[in-house]
C-alpha cells in the first residue's frame, strides 16, 4: 500500500511538473512576442511548437520562481 502511494505521488509530481514546463514555455513565448499574429492574438499552433529556452529545466526553474 505504501509503495502504491509513493508511485502515485511521484506520478502526480511529474504530471504537475510537465504542466508547469508547458505553461511557462507558452508564457515566455507570449511575453517576448514570438507567437503573435498580425492582429495581436496568440497563434495556438505556434505555441504548441515553440521552444523558448534551451532546456526544460529552465522552464521549470522559472515556473517555480527559483530564478
Amino acid at each position: 500500500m505504501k509503495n502504491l502511494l509513493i508511485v502515485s505521488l511521484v506520478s502526480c509530481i511529474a504530471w504537475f511538473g510537465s504542466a508547469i514546463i508547458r505553461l511557462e514555455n507558452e508564457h515566455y513565448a507570449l511575453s517576448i512576442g514570438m507567437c503573435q499574429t498580425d492582429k495581436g492574438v496568440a497563434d495556438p499552433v505556434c505555441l504548441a511548437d515553440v521552444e523558448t529556452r534551451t532546456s526544460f529545466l529552465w522552464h521549470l526553474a522559472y515556473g517555480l520562481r527559483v530564478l
Side-chain angles (χ1 to χ4, degrees):
M1 187 65 179
K2 181 176 74 170
N3 291 338
L4 181 63
L5 180 63
I6 291 171
V7 168
S8 64
L9 289 176
V10 169
S11 298
C12 285
I13 289 172
W15 181 44
F16 290 145
S18 67
I20 289 170
I21 291 167
R22 181 182 50 82
L23 291 173
E24 180 59 29
N25 187 37
E26 291 177 3
H27 171 258
Y28 190 59
L30 289 173
S31 67
I32 62 175
M34 287 181 74
C35 290
Q36 291 182 349
T37 61
D38 294 334
K39 298 176 183 172
V41 296
D43 181 17
V45 175
C46 176
L47 285 175
D49 294 334
V50 71
E51 186 62 39
T52 56
R53 293 191 176 101
T54 56
S55 173
F56 70 93
L57 293 174
W58 289 111
H59 292 300
L60 187 60
Y62 277 96
L64 293 174
R65 308 274 188 218
V66 174
L67 298 175

